[in-house]
Every structure is written in C-alpha cells, then in structure tokens.
Amino acid sequence: MSRGLPLSTRGLVHLYHSDGHDVAALSGVDLHVAAGELVGLLGPSGAGKSTLLNLLGGLLRPSAGRIFLGDVELSKVADRDVDRLRSRTISLMLQGAARNLLPYFGVRENVAYAQLVARASGATDLPEVAQVLETVGMLARADAPLGSLTPGQLQLAAVAAAVATEPAVLLADEPTSQLDHRARDAVLDTIARINRELGTTVLIVTHDPEVASRLPRTVTIRDGRIGGEGRSGEEYAVVTADGFLPLPGHVLDDLPPGTLVRLERDDEVYRVLPVDRRPGTAR
Amino acid sequence: MRKLVRYRPGQAAVIVCLAALVTACAAFAPLYGRAVSEAELLTQLHRAPVQISGLQLTSAGNGPTTDALDHETLLSLVPQRIRAHLRPPVPSTSVQVTTWPDGPASSTGPLLWRDGACRHLGLRSGRCPARGLEIAVSAADARTYDWHVGSRIRVDERVLDALLDPGARGPRPVLHVVGVYALHRSDYWYGAEVTGRSGYPDPDTGQPQHDDWLTARTTLEGPAAPRWRDAHTELDLPLATQTVGLDDIARLAPAVSRFTVDPAHAGSPAAAAADTDPWPPVVRAYSGLGDIGAAVARGRAQAAVTIPLLTAQLGLLGVVVLWLVLGAATEQRRPEVAVTRLRGGGARGARRLLLRELGTLALVGVPLGAVTALLASWVVRRLWLPLDPPSAVRGGFWLAVAGAALLLAAVASASAQQAAREPVVDLLRRVPARRTGWGLGALEAVVVVAAGVVVALFATGGLSGPLSLAAPSLLALVVGLVAAHALLPVTAAAGQRLLARGRVGGAVSALQLARRPATRRLVAIVTVAAALLVFSADAIVVGGRNRAYAAQQEVGAPVVLSTDAATLAPLRAAVRSADPAGTSATPVVSIRPPGEGATTTEAVLPRAFARVALFPGQSPPGRLWRVLDPPDVAPVRLVGTSARVRLAWRVVGSPGAAPVGLGLRLLGPDGLARQVPVGAPGRHRGTRLARVGLPCRSGCRLVGLVLTGSTGRVLSGTVTLDGMVTSSGQHHLLGPASHWGAERRGSAGSVSARASGENGLTVRFRSSTSEPLLLRHVSIPRRLPAVVTGRLPPGSSGADFDAAGLDAVDRSMVRVATLPRAPGAPRDTAVVNLEVLARDGTALDSAAQVEVWLARDDPAVLGRVRDALRQRGIAVTDVSRVTAARRAFDETAATWSLGLAAVAGGAALLVAALVLLVITATTWRLRARDLAGLRMSGLRPAQLRSIAVGEQLPVVALAVVLGSACGVVGAHLALPTVPLFASAPTVSTLDLSTAWTAVAVVTLAALVVLGALGWAAGSWVARRATLERVRESL
C-alpha cells in the first residue's frame, strides 16, 4: 500500500436539519493536510470537529464545497467507491474503542475481519495480522476476548483494526478519551509510530490540551470554521480562502463582533487598530 | 460462527427454536394430515363389519335353462386390481328347502354348504356332515322341532326364481341329521344370519322357519347331488385390511363401487361370455367399501382444510415472531453493522455479516424443525390417534420443509436488509430515533389494511370458506398493530402527565415504554398469541360440546335398551318393577313411518321422560309436559265376567235395514282392545234388560260404545243405557254425557251422547253404512295432544295433524307445544303421552321401536331392568350408549383435525412467552443502563423494580385482553366454517355460542403466565441496574 495521501477541503459546508431549521455544522472550511502529516483537530463541543471527520471519512456528504484525497475528489465519488476507499485508503476510528470492534471477536479476529473486507474490495498486499498486532503492541493479547482487555488495550485493539489495511489516511475521533495517562500515552505513541513508520496521514480529534501539545500541528475549529492553527505550541490565526480572518477567542474579548478596525502595515507587522465601537456591540 | 453463537447463546437458541417451530408447523401439517386420514381409514375399517368392508358375490340361475355361476367363474369376474386387496374367498352354495310334506307343521329355511364351516362351529352332539345328504341342525332347531342325531327329514326345494314353475316337481331327498351345532360367531360367517330364526314365521309365507342346515358340498353340487333347480352360489371375499392404505382406498373404493353396479359386465372373460347368453345367470355384488372410501375421502378433505390452516396460523405467528426477533437482533447489532460499514464493507458486506449469523441460525432450525415434526407426528400417532396409523413421509413433507427453509431465508434476508442499508451515521446512534407518533411503517400499513379488509369481508359475509379459520389471527394482527402504535403517544402523554404530578415511578415506566420499539412488537405478538390461544380453546370446547350434543340427541338418554317387546303391558310392568320411582328408567315407543319427511311418533311417559331423557342445548320447562297429561276424566272401570244393563231405544230405519248393533269397547289388562256385543236393539221403540259377557275378571276399562248400521240403509234414533251392574256387584254410572264424544264425524253417520236420568246415557245416532260409529269415552281424547318438533306433516290444518299411533295407523293429534328437538328422534316428531296413546288399545306395530331409556349408565340399573324384562319374556336386542355415540363422533378426521387447535393454542402461549424472554434478552443491557442512571439520581432499588416491572406488565395485560377479545370475535366468524363432524347429524344440535368459561380460563392462564414472566423479567433487569452499569461500553 502506498503511504500517506494529502487531504484537503475547499469551502466545505455541511448543513443538517433540526427542528425544522437548517443548521450549519461547517460553513466554509478550507483545510490542507499534507501526506504523512499528523494533525490534531481541536475545538469546543459542537464546533463541527466530528462532522468534519465524518465528511473526510466519507460517512457524510458535504452540502457544499469539495474534499480531496490525493487526486481524488472524495465529495464526488459514488457511494460504492467511498466504501472501497474506506476499506483500504481511509480509516476512521470512532470515539469509544468498542464501537470500532466486533464484540464477539478477539483482537486478532477483528484485525483479520478488517482485512477480509478489504480483500473483498480487491486488496491483495495486506500485512500479516501478526505484523499489525506487533505494530500496535497487542500481539501478546491477540487472542484475548475484548471483555478482558483494559480500556487502553481496547483502544489499541481499535487502532489495530483501523490500521489493519495500512490505510493512507487515519481519522481518529477522540482516541484517548476516558483513558488514564499511561494508556493515553501508549495510544498516542502507537498512532505517532504508525504515522512515522508507515507514513500514514493522521487526523486526530481531541479535547485534551496535553494530547494537542504532543501533536506537531493542530487545527482549531470554531463555529464551523477554521478558527486557528497551532504549530509546535504556537497559535496562529488563519486567513480563509475568501479573505476572512477568524480571530482567536481572547482577541474577540477585546474586539467584539461589529468593532470597526483599521489595519496598518509596518514592514512585516500588521496592526489592528480599533476605530470605533458600535453601540450595543461593545462590552 | 461458534464465537457468534457463544457471544449471544440465548438469542441464538431462540432464533433456532423459532425457525424450528416455523419448519415444524409447515412440515407437521402434511404428516399429521396423512396420519389423521390413515387413522380415519383404520377406524372405518375397524368399525365396519367384515361383510361391509369386503366384497360379496352371489349368483342365481335365470329361468329353467340357466344355472348359477360356479365359484371359479364368479371369482374370475373380480378384476385383479380389486382381488389384490382381498383375502382368499370363502365359497358357499345354498338352496331353500321346506320340510315335506308341506303343511302347518313344516318349516322352511336354507340348506347350506360353506367351505370350512366345520371349523367354525361347535357340535353339541354328533359330527359334522361329511357325505352327501348329511346335515347338521342348530341347537335351537333341535329344541324347536325335536330334531336329533339320526333324524331323517324329507325336504322339498323352495323355488325363489320367478321364472321357474313353483309347482313343478323337484327333488325331495331325505336328509340325515348327523350333528347338532352351536354357532361360533366370527368374521368367517361374514355376517350371515345362520341361526336365530328357528320357529319364527317367514316374512313372506308366514311359515315357521328353521336355522341354516349345514351340509357337505356333495349334497348341493356334483353328479351325486340331487338336481336342485334354484341353487345359489356365493363368494365372500373379506378385505385384506393390512394391505389397504390411504392411497389404495382412494383407488380401490371407486373401483369396487363401479364393480358392484354391474359385476357381470366388469370386463372379465367370463363376463364377455355371459354377454352372449340370452338368459345370463344373475350375478350380484355387495360391498360397503365405496361408502368407506367416500367417508375417508370426506375426512381427508376436512383434514386438508383444518390442519394446514391451524398450523399455518401458528407458523405465521412463528414467522412474525421470528421477523421481530430478527429485527431486534439486527437492531442489537447496529454497532457491528456500523463497524462493517466503517471498514468499507458497504451495504452488501453488512448484509453478509448479518446473514452469516442470523441466516445460518435460522437455517439450522430447519432440520431441527423437520425432526421435531417427525417426532411430533410419531407421538400423536402413538398417543393420540387410535389404531396406531402408519407413518408416511411423502413429497408434501419435503416440500413443506423446503418451503419453510426458503421462507426463513427470506425473512432473515429481509430483516438484514433494512439495517444494512441504513446510513452509517444513523447506525452509529446508540438508540434508534424514537417514534412517538401514530405513523405506521409501509409494511405494517399494508399488513393492517390487508388483514383488516379480509376480516371485514368475513364479518360482512362477503367471504366465506375455510380460510375464515385465519380470522382470529388476522383480526388480532390488525388490533395488535394499531394498539401498539396507539400505545406510544398515549403512554408518552401519560408519562408526561404523571411526571408533572410528581409520580416518578409511573412516569418513568410510561416514558420508557413509549421510547422502546420493543413495546410495539410485544403488544402485537402477545395480542396475536392470545387470540390464537382463546380461539383454539373456544373451538375445542365448542367442538366437544357439539359432539356431545349430537351424541345425546342421537341416542336420547345415557343408555337406551332396544327390546323385542310385542306388547306394552309387560314392558311397562318390567320397568315399574325395576324402577318403581320412575327416576331411572322409562319406556319409550317410536313409530317411524317410512318416507322422507314423515312425522315420527315418540310415545313417552312425560314426567319420567323429562327426568331420564337428554335435552342437549335446551332445557324444556317441567310444566311443558303437563300439556300431555291424560284428560281429567276417570275411566269407567268394569270388573267381572258379565254385566247387566237396561236398554231403551227408539230407532227409525229404511226398509230392509238390519237392526242396529250395539257393543262395548273394552281395554283389557294386557293393553289390547276388545269389543263385546250388547245385543241388537229392536226396531222402533222398546226396552229390555241385556246381559253382556265381559272378559274383565281382572278388570278392564270401558273406552267406547260402538254402533253398527247396515250398508246402504239409513238408521237413526237413540239408545239409552241405564243401570249397568257387573257380576262383581258394582253399579256403574255411564254419565255424564260430556264424558262421551264421537271419534269423528263423516259420511258414515253421526253419533252423540246426552244424559238420561241420574245414571243413564242416551246415544243419538244416524248411520248409513255398516262402518261402526264409535262413541269414545273422553278419558281417551279424540285428538291426542302432542309436543311437536320440526314441521307438521302435509295435510295438517292449523295445529291439527295426523301421525302414526302404536299400530302405525294415523291418529288425530293436536299440537299443544313445540320443542326444537325431541331426544333420540328425527327432526319432525310428535311426542305424545304413551299412556294416553295406549288407551285405545291398538296393538303394537311390528316396526315400532320399543325401548327402555335409562337415566344413567349404571350397570346395576341396567342389570335390574334387563332381568325384569327377561322375566316377562322380553329380550334386550341392543344397548345404545351416549358414550359410545360420542366416541363415534370423536373418532373422526374432523375431530382430530380440530384437536390440533390445542397444540396451536399452547404453542401460541409458549411463543408469546418466548418473545417476552427475547425482548428482555435483547434490551436488558440498555434498560439496565437507563435504570442505573436513575439509581444514580437517587431512586431506590424497589422503585427501580417497580419501574422495570411497570414498563412491561401493563402492556402484557392489555395485549392479552385485546387478544382474547379478538379470539372470541374471530371464533364467532370462523367457527361456522369449521367442520365439526365427519357428516352432519340428521338432527342439528349445532350450538356455536362462545364457551365463556374456557375463554376466561385460558385468558386468565395467559395473564398469569405472561404476567409472571413479565414481572420476573422486570425484576431481573432491575437487579442488574448497578451503578457500574453506567460506565459500561461493551
């Protein structure tokens, strides 16, 4: 299997229907993740992280915008081809390890089952099950029933099933939630190792600042948009494709929506100068 | 697969069991239907005497030139396909002989050779005939005619062939009595009445009869035999019952029927030869096999309707339950389906995942179901059906198994389809979207509408036929589905209201109930199961009741003794002596005139009859019988050997007329009427003292005065009788005049009475013929009061009609009351007072059925009555019992088929219980988690149990009640089309009213069983609602 593929979105919009109204879960997300990159998706609850992950995983179709997986425009691929892509190229880990595993199988069989589905889609060059288990450090517990595993082991088992076909892209929704520190570190280490050794592009949704701090790049989603980006601990604002610049939360405290500002450039420095505050919008 | 099963073993077992149940229902129907038909055939053959089930061929000569066919030729007439099922024939030859010289003392009867007869009789003396002209006579003949070993009897042949000259001289051989036999009755004799006629008059000639004389073959056949002119040959061919199966009888019975119509032209070589003969010998064939075959075919047709429909309902319930269980199982596997979809398996992969588990489990049930059906068939053949009918696994069985397998595969595939196609995001929801509205799914809507339309058609009479057996299930399906959908919004609203009132327990129960899809399934299935259970119970009880009624109606009383009584007095005396209180036994005389629709007269002693007879489905009030009481006028009783009476007359007659004759009509102690002449009053006017001889030493009753005129001469006038004194010294009052009435006014003349002084009676008359004019004492009513059932006979006027008296001659009767049915009598019957009917002293007709009815089947009473009858020279010729008649009604395909309803009902209850368990097994984790959450919020374990139980128990109770109501209504629609009898009884006692007790019992049983199970399941779930459950993820 080829290694990681780049993943990108352009003007991604997703609406859902609730109580008779259309609600925008995502409203113009432009995101680019390079091949083999490890990226964390951050943001408050309801910001649209999981929706974005589901769109990237092909579980949902966007209301507007485009999604690219390498050269393939995922948002235009037929359902059957999306299934085929999911069987080999994109792997999605849902929040809660058990939701990723067949409960009546052991770890080995879950990995084998994932490969079985991939083979049914035409895959031939799949790794040995034992090799996959070794990669995630679960070879010793390969035949244990799921009910006998610790939460950390269960999450590793879910990771094993997710990477059983050595996918190009791994999308993981809160893979470390409800885990203690040791288990969390083990899972993160495993995912990082997979990213490093297999070159898999990894996108992790997390709430955990400690997890975020361990990721080389983070993207913050806020109100359905890219709200910022962090690289090696530094937080940045991101100018969107249509020229908007979502301000980080702490800046918004000073510059509430509706504030009139003047931008000034001084060599390499841009200054934002508030000119006036409209009545009723300022604190 | 092993791991799959081990992960949810209970659920796997339930799916396998349900699949096995569906297969068993499908496969059992043909097996049971076959077994029932085989049992019907065996019962018919077992009940039928050998001469009915077998074939008998007889041949006689035809005129002076044609002799009867010999036995070999007779046998050759029988087609081989029929002979294959018959045992070796028993040939016999007979002639009718009369002892010679002919005269009042001579007897007549058959002289018979029957092959092997000596092995089937016991010799009281002498030996069996071995040579020509030797005979053995019956022990009864030996007594009656004083014949003994050594007797020599000259006989003359009695010719029956109308073409032969009866006066022509035939052989008159002398026969030698070499033995006296006693018959060993057995099938060998083929039902022939070899004995039992000794001394009785021949119905044709009135000559005394003798029993069959058994002789050697050489007496009747061969060169040394006398030249008999009218010998008959006979072949008795018993049925080889062990070679006749259900398929054989279907071919054999019609073949035999065709053969018996015209045996001489059945196509055999012998028959072809006979065709060329201008005077072919007479050949006749007798067999009841055609009727047996028709009865079996009728039973088979009934079984083919009832059994599949009953099993289909149960099978349908099984399919519905399986569908719902698979639906629940699929729902439980949504996360697993989601995993497959996440892995890129797509809808096809998801379906494959589900089918690999659920489809395999369903198909595993198929062989189990087939084996179960075979075992069940074996059990019912051994333990339920009589005579151990043979088993036969035919194509129908395999077809049913294959059909069940296909059906199960289709159900499994359909249930997997829905989940497999669901969007992955929806599959990832922990709990499916809640349904609180009234909306029906497309499939459910189709089912409700289709079933509703069918039920409506049944109810309005637009649809009839055996399919109406499905009415209870269809009705319950409609009601169950609609109720299930109505329940959700109702319970949701109720939950909100209870919550607002602060009743947390009830509120949570109601809200939980509203949000669980399992609720809908439970309501629908329990409703259908309860309906099937109640319908089955009702059908079984109604069927049993109707068979009991039919048996009671047919026999009339618990035990009925048929007698050979020729007169009533000794019979009544015997009954009185055996049962002085008249509570246990009563005489009943029935006179059934020939002809369709003729009114039968059933003469009874009303009060005793009301106590002893059975009135199925009706309870005539005690006062009804008072209308049959004798007239309130004491009869004139005379005692003595003679009487003296003063006569005064005034008679005017045309010239040449003979004097008018006057007579007394007396009824003796033997119940017979006699007429004694008083003498002829003279012409004109005069008086005299008349002396009359009376046959009344023991007393008799004066029932009438008879006046006789002359043919063609008119006589009129009055005769006064006064001062009657009998030799016993009694003075008798003949008045008042109102105690006397003319029997009938007509062209013969008229007669009437008026008072004459204090003691006398004046008879006014006018006569123009010699036909007697009867002035009847009103202790004998002119028109006999009768309680009538059915229609009055043709020619009746208003309430007046004519029906047979004891002598089978019509009597005037009047309808004074009606009954729906008369016990033991045909539809059109007049029930009259035996005592009143007998007052006219007519003799009993020989065709009258004289019976003694017993109130209970008690051997002591039966023995007493039998002894009393025997002491008076009356023999009991037959004993009929209601229990035996009931058994005959019970042992039919119709009854056995309907009996399957018990299995269907029981299985329905089991299925409902199983569903309750399955629903608990598939939802307990979710429910326990919810309850654990409530526990965290401070509810006590007892409250949790109450909530868990309250979530299920009311639903179960409601569904049981709804289902019971559907069962009752469904039974009302379906039962009229259910065959309860092999053949409808001649007098219908049909009562299809609901068996409320049975309905109440099974409803209660269902409530108890399912309620207890619901309570136990709720408690069990509540016990598992531990706090740790909140964190559970697997």
Side-chain angles (χ1 to χ4, degrees):
Chain A
M1 177 68 211
S2 61
R3 295 301 178 248
L5 286 174
L7 190 63
S8 60
T9 67
R10 287 182 202 161
L12 196 62
V13 175
H14 187 72
L15 306 175
Y16 65 88
H17 201 73
S18 175
D19 292 333
H21 302 288
D22 285 332
V23 179
L26 296 174
S27 41
V29 173
D30 298 306
L31 173 70
H32 179 79
V33 180
E37 200 177 2
L38 173 58
V39 177
L41 269 182
L42 310 182
S45 293
K49 304 184 300 291
S50 297
T51 304
L52 178 59
L53 211 66
N54 286 340
L55 286 165
L56 295 176
L59 302 187
L60 292 174
R61 294 283 184 171
S63 306
R66 304 163 82 181
I67 303 170
F68 291 94
L69 175 64
D71 297 332
V72 177
E73 186 176 348
L74 192 63
S75 43
K76 287 190 175 171
V77 169
D79 284 349
R80 180 174 294 181
D81 294 330
V82 171
D83 284 338
R84 188 171 294 123
L85 282 173
R86 263 207 311 271
S87 71
R88 300 214 49 201
T89 312
I90 316 174
S91 190
L92 185 65
M93 274 178 68
L94 302 170
Q95 186 177 4
R99 296 171 75 196
N100 297 279
L101 300 166
L102 294 174
Y104 38 83
F105 286 158
V107 184
R108 185 193 301 279
E109 286 151 325
N110 267 289
V111 173
Y113 179 70
Q115 293 188 342
L116 182 79
V117 176
R119 283 198 188 91
S121 301
T124 52
D125 54 345
L126 299 176
E128 293 293 322
V129 173
Q131 185 190 331
V132 175
L133 293 171
E134 191 161 11
T135 304
V136 300
M138 284 296 290
L139 191 57
R141 302 284 287 157
D143 297 315
L146 297 188
S148 68
L149 300 180
T150 64
Q153 289 172 333
L154 206 59
Q155 193 63 56
L156 287 175
V159 173
V163 300
T165 57
E166 295 186 348
V169 176
L170 173 63
L171 308 170
D173 192 357
E174 301 275 10
T176 58
S177 65
Q178 297 182 1
L179 297 182
D180 58 25
H181 286 224
R182 247 169 60 185
R184 183 192 64 193
D185 290 347
V187 170
L188 274 182
D189 289 347
T190 304
I191 292 176
R193 188 166 61 250
I194 289 165
N195 169 252
R196 195 170 54 244
E197 293 178 1
L198 302 180
T200 307
T201 307
V202 178
L203 201 61
I204 297 174
V205 170
T206 182
H207 271 105
D208 190 341
E210 285 193 40
V211 172
S213 68
R214 290 188 54 180
L215 300 174
R217 179 189 169 199
T218 60
V219 175
T220 303
I221 307 288
R222 199 168 54 231
D223 296 333
R225 293 168 180 272
I226 302 290
E229 195 168 320
R231 294 186 187 238
S232 307
E234 282 290 330
E235 283 294 316
Y236 300 93
V238 182
V239 180
T240 64
D242 46 5
F244 290 102
L245 177 67
L247 299 176
H250 65 277
V251 179
L252 277 174
D253 289 345
D254 293 330
L255 300 173
T259 305
L260 192 66
V261 297
R262 185 167 62 229
L263 286 178
E264 290 183 356
R265 181 177 176 180
D266 186 2
D267 292 331
E268 293 299 311
V269 178
Y270 284 89
R271 285 201 178 88
V272 179
L273 302 171
V275 177
D276 184 23
R277 282 184 180 146
R278 287 184 182 173
T281 57
R283 282 189 301 152
Chain B
M1 190 63 202
R2 192 162 47 88
K3 288 198 172 176
L4 284 175
V5 173
R6 282 171 61 185
Y7 185 65
R8 298 185 182 101
Q11 202 176 77
V14 167
I15 293 170
V16 169
C17 285
L18 282 171
L21 173 71
V22 172
T23 310
C25 285
F28 184 65
L31 289 176
Y32 186 63
R34 179 90 190 175
V36 161
S37 299
E38 292 276 12
E40 170 94 32
L41 171 64
L42 289 175
T43 306
Q44 291 279 351
L45 292 179
H46 185 71
R47 276 195 206 135
V50 64
Q51 67 273 21
I52 297 297
S53 60
L55 176 67
Q56 185 180 58
L57 279 172
T58 62
S59 177
N62 192 357
T65 57
T66 307
D67 288 337
L69 290 180
D70 61 54
H71 299 112
E72 288 72 24
T73 311
L74 263 183
L75 188 60
S76 71
L77 293 176
V78 183
Q80 187 53 42
R81 63 179 183 281
I82 295 178
R83 272 174 68 180
H85 295 285
L86 300 172
R87 294 213 299 266
V90 179
S92 59
T93 304
S94 63
V95 292
Q96 290 291 324
V97 294
T98 305
T99 55
W100 197 85
D102 200 5
S106 70
S107 68
T108 183
L111 175 62
L112 170 74
W113 164 75
R114 189 170 175 85
D115 190 23
C118 291
R119 292 194 297 276
H120 297 276
L121 46 81
L123 285 166
R124 293 279 173 84
S125 60
R127 60 177 173 80
C128 213
R131 289 190 290 274
L133 303 181
E134 289 182 349
I135 62 168
V137 299
S138 73
D141 278 349
R143 277 195 307 275
T144 307
Y145 300 106
D146 195 26
W147 291 327
H148 48 81
V149 174
S151 296
R152 288 166 178 269
I153 307 169
R154 181 175 291 278
V155 295
D156 194 7
E157 185 181 9
R158 183 178 157 203
V159 172
L160 301 176
D161 186 348
L163 295 176
L164 295 174
D165 177 9
R169 177 78 166 78
R172 282 184 187 148
V174 175
L175 304 177
H176 305 254
V177 178
V178 297
V180 176
Y181 71 84
L183 196 70
H184 293 166
R185 294 215 174 269
S186 68
D187 284 350
Y188 163 82
W189 294 103
Y190 213 71
E193 291 180 0
V194 178
T195 58
R197 299 185 305 278
S198 183
Y200 284 87
D202 183 283
D204 295 332
T205 64
Q207 211 173 2
Q209 297 180 90
H210 58 247
D211 290 333
D212 285 16
W213 291 344
L214 300 175
T215 186
R217 185 172 195 169
T218 47
T219 306
L220 297 166
E221 297 175 19
R227 174 66 190 152
W228 305 104
R229 294 190 299 153
D230 193 14
H232 289 60
T233 53
E234 182 177 311
L235 274 185
D236 296 333
L237 296 120
L239 185 72
T241 48
Q242 70 281 4
T243 71
V244 180
L246 200 56
D247 298 326
D248 303 311
I249 197 77
R251 292 187 296 269
L252 184 61
V256 169
S257 292
R258 281 194 301 275
F259 175 70
T260 53
V261 171
D262 189 7
H265 297 87
S268 68
D275 275 348
T276 60
D277 191 341
W279 294 97
V282 178
V283 180
R284 291 197 178 89
Y286 307 92
S287 177
L289 205 56
D291 293 337
I292 291 174
V296 171
R298 207 163 42 241
R300 207 171 174 179
Q302 289 174 340
V305 169
T306 311
I307 293 171
L309 280 172
L310 279 172
T311 51
Q313 285 193 86
L314 187 57
L316 189 67
L317 180 64
V319 168
V320 171
V321 170
L322 185 66
W323 161 263
L324 296 175
V325 166
L326 288 177
T330 306
E331 199 171 287
Q332 201 184 22
R333 285 157 180 74
R334 290 163 64 87
E336 294 152 49
V337 173
V339 169
T340 304
R341 298 288 299 275
L342 274 181
R343 300 277 166 262
R348 186 182 293 180
R351 193 167 58 243
R352 200 180 301 131
L353 174 87
L354 290 171
L355 278 180
R356 193 175 57 153
E357 182 188 359
L358 304 178
T360 307
L361 289 174
L363 290 179
V364 163
V366 172
L368 284 179
V371 171
T372 306
L374 286 169
L375 279 175
S377 156
W378 182 86
V379 169
V380 295
R381 279 188 289 106
R382 290 288 178 283
L383 304 180
W384 191 352
L385 298 175
L387 303 171
D388 196 7
S391 67
V393 178
R394 301 296 170 112
F397 169 79
W398 298 114
L399 210 62
V401 171
L406 281 176
L407 181 67
L408 291 171
V411 169
S413 175
S415 64
Q417 191 78 3
Q418 195 179 353
R421 282 187 174 170
E422 210 170 337
V424 186
V425 177
D426 288 352
L427 287 170
L428 292 173
R429 295 172 67 113
R430 278 203 167 199
V431 180
R434 179 160 69 109
R435 289 178 64 172
T436 54
W438 285 75
L440 289 170
L443 180 66
E444 285 170 324
V446 168
V447 169
V448 166
V449 170
V453 166
V454 173
V455 172
L457 284 173
F458 281 136
T460 55
L463 201 63
S464 59
L467 272 177
S468 63
L469 269 180
S473 296
L474 293 176
L475 182 64
L477 199 60
V478 173
V479 171
L481 285 175
V482 171
H485 281 273
L487 197 65
L488 302 187
V490 169
T491 49
Q496 297 289 352
R497 188 165 293 182
L498 287 170
L499 205 58
R501 288 180 186 170
R503 294 173 63 180
V504 177
V508 174
S509 289
L511 290 171
Q512 293 280 46
L513 203 119
R515 66 187 280 263
R516 302 216 186 280
T519 305
R520 292 204 318 275
R521 300 182 186 124
L522 191 64
V523 171
I525 292 174
V526 172
T527 304
V528 174
L532 197 51
L533 176 69
V534 166
F535 165 69
S536 301
D538 192 37
I540 289 169
V541 173
V542 168
R545 179 212 294 156
N546 277 280
R547 291 195 301 279
Y549 280 5
Q552 291 172 8
Q553 173 61 33
E554 186 178 283
V555 179
V559 180
V560 171
L561 310 179
S562 299
T563 72
D564 63 356
T567 53
L568 281 179
L571 179 90
R572 292 188 61 184
V575 172
R576 265 197 306 273
S577 73
D579 176 36
T583 54
S584 301
T586 185
V588 174
V589 179
S590 297
I591 303 99
R592 302 188 182 196
E596 193 73 22
T599 295
T600 293
T601 303
E602 189 170 52
V604 304
L605 300 177
R607 283 181 175 73
F609 183 70
R611 283 191 291 268
V612 171
L614 297 167
F615 296 88
Q618 54 179 339
S619 34
R623 64 178 181 280
L624 173 86
W625 304 107
R626 287 186 207 141
V627 299
L628 299 183
D629 282 350
D632 194 17
V633 174
V636 180
R637 183 173 166 78
L638 308 177
V639 179
T641 54
S642 65
R644 210 174 55 221
V645 63
R646 194 164 45 250
L647 296 179
W649 64 89
R650 224 175 122 182
V651 177
V652 179
S654 52
V660 65
L662 177 64
L664 303 179
R665 192 171 171 87
L666 303 169
L667 192 65
D670 56 1
L672 297 177
R674 293 176 183 81
Q675 193 168 310
V676 294
V678 178
R683 291 284 186 91
H684 310 300
R685 71 169 57 186
T687 60
R688 73 177 172 88
L689 191 64
R691 289 182 181 278
V692 187
L694 295 178
C696 304
R697 188 183 299 276
S698 311
C700 52
R701 282 185 297 177
L702 175 62
V703 296
L705 298 173
V706 181
L707 287 109
T708 313
S710 303
T711 306
R713 299 285 187 273
V714 177
L715 280 172
S716 64
T718 59
V719 178
T720 301
L721 298 91
D722 192 10
M724 178 179 266
V725 181
T726 55
S727 57
S728 62
Q730 284 179 303
H731 291 259
H732 294 279
L733 303 177
L734 296 179
S738 58
H739 286 186
W740 298 88
E743 178 161 331
R744 185 172 294 183
R745 293 173 193 279
S747 57
S750 62
V751 61
S752 62
R754 62 185 169 88
S756 174
E758 284 186 4
N759 301 331
L761 178 75
T762 297
V763 181
R764 181 191 295 274
F765 69 94
R766 177 182 168 78
S767 167
S768 57
T769 70
S770 59
E771 189 179 332
L773 296 171
L774 177 65
L775 191 65
R776 181 189 293 271
H777 192 256
V778 292
S779 61
I780 302 170
R782 189 174 67 81
R783 291 182 307 160
L784 201 65
V787 174
V788 175
T789 69
R791 295 169 305 190
L792 290 178
S796 57
S797 161
D800 294 345
F801 66 101
D802 289 345
L806 291 174
D807 52 359
V809 175
D810 274 359
R811 282 216 48 185
S812 294
M813 298 187 187
V814 59
R815 181 177 60 197
V816 290
T818 57
L819 264 181
R821 297 171 294 275
R827 189 190 60 183
D828 301 325
T829 295
V831 182
V832 298
N833 190 322
L834 175 63
E835 194 182 329
V836 178
L837 185 64
R839 278 185 181 178
D840 63 5
T842 50
L844 267 177
D845 183 64
S846 60
Q849 292 176 18
V850 185
E851 298 166 338
V852 179
W853 291 17
L854 306 184
R856 57 186 185 279
D857 195 351
D858 180 349
V861 175
L862 179 60
R864 275 205 310 274
V865 172
R866 203 190 276 266
D867 289 345
L869 290 169
R870 189 168 46 235
Q871 284 164 12
R872 287 159 180 82
I874 300 170
V876 173
T877 55
D878 190 29
V879 179
S880 305
R881 288 183 164 85
V882 163
T883 49
R886 170 69 195 266
R887 203 161 41 245
F889 280 117
D890 283 349
E891 291 181 346
T892 63
T895 307
W896 294 320
S897 304
L898 195 59
L900 198 59
V903 179
L909 186 61
L910 278 178
V911 167
L914 202 61
V915 166
L916 207 56
L917 291 177
V918 168
I919 285 176
T920 304
T922 52
T923 60
W924 75 268
R925 201 176 285 271
L926 205 59
R927 291 172 61 196
R929 212 178 283 155
D930 291 347
L931 292 172
L934 291 171
R935 191 167 182 187
M936 278 190 78
S937 62
L939 291 185
R940 286 176 285 109
Q943 285 176 300
L944 293 184
R945 191 174 65 236
S946 162
I947 289 170
V949 170
E951 205 181 309
Q952 222 154 24
L953 207 54
V955 174
V956 169
L958 175 73
V960 167
V961 171
L962 283 177
S964 299
C966 291
V968 169
V969 176
H972 182 69
L973 293 175
L975 278 178
T977 60
V978 175
L980 300 177
F981 302 98
S983 305
T986 48
V987 178
S988 174
T989 50
L990 201 62
D991 176 7
L992 299 179
S993 56
T994 304
W996 288 112
T997 308
V999 167
V1001 167
V1002 294
T1003 302
L1004 201 63
L1007 277 174
V1008 168
V1009 170
L1010 298 179
L1013 211 56
W1015 184 87
S1019 303
W1020 184 81
V1021 171
R1023 277 203 301 279
R1024 268 143 193 82
T1026 54
L1027 292 176
E1028 297 78 41
R1029 191 72 64 189
V1030 179
R1031 289 173 53 82
E1032 196 175 59
S1033 60
L1034 271 178

